Amino acid sequence: MAATALTERSVDPGSAHSSPAPVDQDVLIVGAGISGIGMAVHLQMNCPDHSFGLVERRAQLGGTWDLFRYPGVRSDSDMHTLGFVFEPWTHEKSIADGPSILDYLNRIVDERGIRDCIAFNRKVVGADWDSAAARWTVTLEDEEGKSSTTTARWLHLGSGYYDYDAPYEAHFPGRETFKGEIWHPQFWPENADYKGKKIVVIGSGATAVTIVPSMAKDAAHVTMLQRTPTWYFIRPAKDGFANFLRKILPEELAYKITRFKNVKLQSIGFQRARTKPEKVKQFLTRRLKAALGDHYDEKAFTPPYNPWDQRLCLVPDGDFFEAMKAGKASVVTDHIERFDASGIQLKSGAHLDADVIVTATGLKLAVAGKIPVRVDGEAVSWADHFYYKACMFSNIPNFSVVFGYLNASWTLRADIVSEYVCRVLNHMGKQGSSIALPRLDDPSSLTEDNIFDFSSGYIQRSLHIMPKNAVEMPWRLSQNYVQDRIDMRRDPVDDGILHFGHPMAAASRDQLEAAE
């Protein structure tokens, strides 16, 4: 059955409740970025008898890769793991720019006939589960504010992890006095002109490290102003091993081997950073000194935390450091006292002149795409629910999400989550069940764990809104892809925790009994 064009029903604004309606698709996917497209293809491959549709709030697919338009936008992971398990990455560069990633996604969608079942310019403004009907009713809003609804047996969110509407904006005193332009990478102005201008980029994360060398090509000078240094990892933009394999092996086999190699190396690197941080510090520092030579500044490149306490910043071909050695870019480590008419006054007493200030100060995390979700009329507060199998939530039926890895490529999680949800759907089909519920009767029986063992600011600012994480499996969002892949493929779907059942009159999620 595969993909279907989305069925919508208009909503009478004067009516509080819509009439009962049949299920329009078995699975509704929210978001047509990496997560949503991946889920659609996995459904085609693994659940060909299930119908599905996608809704996307933007006019184009691609999610992050369509939203972000700042100079040099690229992946911060290799494309052999950011690419899908089912679709080899065939470009010569393994660290790809945004347009190349969009080409990859568009080709997948068109070759598999998925584009026709994506409803663009549809923002999800509500999702309501009805246990008696065993279905989700999802309320949509188009560009003109017109509402409609569609129904599905299963709701899968591929809506990302950050707020698309509002980035994190740090408070800078005197901002209104600055006479130049202030840009945020999330909403980059069209036709931005910075040729021959003095640029200050505030921030030291992946976005800042990408923007600086790109803008430095045309700007008079680019200064990266950081409060705290970041650990950097330099690697070639082209994977010589992968490109060699592609010459002597079939494309799919070469991709599979390269993907395996990169997963193992990343896993080893992360574990070594956690067990022998001083050794990793020494390794990264040696690489930085070799790349920068006389331009190496210990203050600017020695973070006060261990590698992988925050995500490493990837620097392909050392482009960031090449811009520094060419005199086109520099790094200043200081604190902002205030903005003024001509730039930024620092607490050290120094002043940075600027024509343009780029505030690469981070993102705001968002859970479930900020969609108001209700189960049998009760609003869901995500901070009250535990993760189950890294993609579902305690006592929330027929619902899954993708939240990628912090220490590996996003798509690694998206692939194994999609595979697992397909296993659940097929099990439900074989059993004749219409409801799958990760049942947790006594949350106090679980020992809570920090959901993210990372010190990054955007993580710490958002812990209060995040779902709960337990020490015990399966009630957690793990950061171990290798083990997750084994568990989600091999563990039984019917594990005694995920309960399968049927709709019952006046049933609530707490009253569902497992169907044998």
Side-chain angles (χ1 to χ4, degrees):
M1 189 179 294
T4 58
L6 188 76
T7 300
E8 300 175 75
R9 293 175 173 79
S10 62
V11 172
D12 179 358
S15 174
H17 302 281
S18 60
S19 300
V23 173
D24 297 316
Q25 57 264 306
D26 296 317
V27 181
L28 180 65
I29 302 167
V30 178
I34 284 178
S35 301
I37 292 169
M39 183 62 183
V41 176
H42 279 282
L43 284 168
Q44 285 184 330
M45 295 190 304
N46 301 316
C47 299
D49 57 337
H50 284 67
S51 61
F52 65 88
L54 297 89
V55 290
E56 167 56 50
R57 62 177 292 180
R58 299 177 61 76
Q60 302 293 333
L61 60 80
T64 291
W65 303 107
D66 179 62
L67 174 67
F68 285 93
R69 305 294 179 91
Y70 58 79
V73 60
R74 57 168 172 77
S75 63
D76 64 349
S77 303
D78 70 277
M79 287 304 301
H80 297 91
T81 56
L82 189 62
F84 295 109
V85 67
F86 53 77
E87 183 68 27
W89 177 257
T90 59
H91 287 252
E92 190 177 28
K93 283 190 174 182
S94 64
I95 308 301
D97 58 36
S100 296
I101 297 172
L102 281 176
D103 287 345
Y104 175 75
L105 295 174
N106 274 286
R107 178 165 54 81
I108 290 170
V109 163
D110 289 332
E111 288 181 354
R112 289 167 171 79
I114 293 171
R115 189 178 298 274
D116 289 343
C117 68
I118 304 174
F120 291 102
N121 297 310
R122 297 293 191 279
K123 181 179 180 180
V124 178
V125 295
D128 292 83
W129 169 259
D130 181 354
S131 291
R135 68 165 180 236
W136 288 96
T137 298
V138 176
T139 304
L140 310 170
E141 194 174 87
D142 65 15
E143 291 178 295
E144 299 176 352
K146 182 180 177 182
S147 293
S148 61
T149 63
T150 189
T151 57
R153 195 70 67 207
W154 190 281
L155 183 60
H156 181 80
L157 300 191
S159 48
Y161 69 102
Y162 61 88
D163 191 329
Y164 270 55
D165 302 307
Y168 173 69
E169 289 281 14
H171 173 67
F172 299 119
R175 180 180 179 129
E176 69 283 355
T177 67
F178 179 57
K179 299 301 183 182
E181 296 182 84
I182 301 175
W183 303 335
H184 193 286
Q186 189 166 330
F187 299 108
W188 199 260
E190 289 187 28
N191 303 315
D193 180 17
Y194 51 87
K195 188 174 183 178
K197 295 182 179 180
K198 291 173 288 187
I199 313 294
V200 174
V201 178
I202 302 173
S204 59
T207 301
V209 172
T210 300
I211 286 175
V212 168
S214 296
M215 296 188 77
K217 296 173 183 177
D218 296 316
H221 188 82
V222 182
T223 301
M224 188 177 85
L225 173 59
Q226 62 180 11
R227 182 175 56 187
T228 307
T230 295
W231 286 111
Y232 299 106
F233 181 69
I234 305 166
R235 63 169 293 173
K238 297 179 182 179
D239 188 326
F241 176 79
N243 291 333
F244 170 72
L245 289 184
R246 291 179 59 213
K247 293 177 181 178
I248 63 172
L249 295 175
E251 198 76 68
E252 290 188 7
L253 179 57
Y255 180 68
K256 186 175 182 179
I257 293 172
T258 303
R259 185 180 174 94
F260 174 82
K261 180 261 294 183
N262 289 357
V263 166
K264 294 300 289 185
L265 288 178
Q266 189 282 325
S267 179
I268 291 169
F270 178 76
Q271 293 303 323
R272 187 168 178 80
R274 288 300 169 96
T275 57
K276 296 183 178 180
E278 293 302 320
K279 291 286 187 183
V280 176
K281 285 182 183 179
Q282 293 170 12
F283 169 75
L284 295 174
T285 300
R286 284 197 302 270
R287 297 284 297 273
L288 281 172
K289 288 180 177 179
L292 282 165
D294 294 340
H295 290 78
Y296 177 77
D297 176 7
E298 185 175 357
K299 179 184 177 183
F301 296 104
T302 307
Y305 57 85
N306 290 332
W308 278 117
D309 281 357
Q310 297 183 22
R311 190 175 173 108
L312 289 187
C313 276
L314 177 65
V315 184
D317 294 333
D319 59 359
F320 176 56
F321 308 119
E322 292 300 318
M324 291 180 63
K325 290 190 292 184
K328 295 286 290 180
S330 58
V331 176
V332 172
T333 306
D334 210 324
H335 288 73
I336 295 171
E337 183 174 293
R338 67 181 184 276
F339 285 17
D340 60 25
S342 61
I344 300 175
Q345 181 64 49
L346 303 175
K347 289 187 177 180
S348 66
H351 187 274
L352 296 178
D353 294 338
D355 300 305
V356 176
I357 296 174
V358 178
T359 56
T361 50
L363 305 167
K364 283 173 60 179
L365 294 194
V367 181
K370 302 191 302 180
I371 298 167
V373 176
R374 289 170 292 272
V375 174
D376 295 322
E378 181 181 344
V380 172
S381 172
W382 297 109
D384 295 333
H385 295 265
F386 280 87
Y387 265 102
Y388 170 79
K389 292 280 190 178
C391 65
M392 297 177 71
F393 300 99
S394 57
N395 301 324
I396 305 294
N398 293 26
F399 185 91
S400 53
V401 301
V402 176
F403 195 112
Y405 290 99
L406 297 181
N407 60 357
S409 296
W410 181 275
T411 316
L412 293 176
R413 174 100 71 193
D415 271 329
I416 60 174
V417 164
S418 296
E419 290 176 2
Y420 174 74
V421 172
C422 287
R423 289 183 66 204
V424 174
L425 292 170
N426 286 331
H427 182 84
M428 293 170 69
K430 291 177 182 177
Q431 203 181 50
S433 302
S434 52
I435 299 175
L437 179 78
R439 185 165 173 173
L440 180 60
D441 294 323
D442 182 14
S444 65
S445 65
L446 300 178
T447 302
E448 285 194 49
D449 189 20
N450 188 346
I451 188 168
F452 300 124
D453 186 19
F454 281 72
S455 61
S456 304
Y458 74 100
I459 294 291
Q460 296 301 313
R461 288 192 298 267
S462 306
L463 290 177
H464 66 287
I465 66 171
M466 300 304 295
K468 294 180 180 180
N469 209 44
V471 172
E472 305 90 344
M473 294 295 285
W475 301 108
R476 62 181 287 109
L477 180 71
S478 169
Q479 297 296 324
N480 186 340
Y481 166 72
V482 175
Q483 189 60 49
D484 288 347
R485 183 172 178 267
I486 294 171
D487 293 343
M488 296 185 79
R489 285 184 170 182
R490 296 182 182 178
D491 287 356
V493 171
D494 195 350
D495 60 358
I497 296 174
L498 188 60
H499 288 240
F500 297 91
H502 306 276
M504 296 176 289
S508 73
R509 65 183 184 279
D510 297 322
Q511 297 171 321
L512 291 174
E513 297 294 337
E516 297 296 333

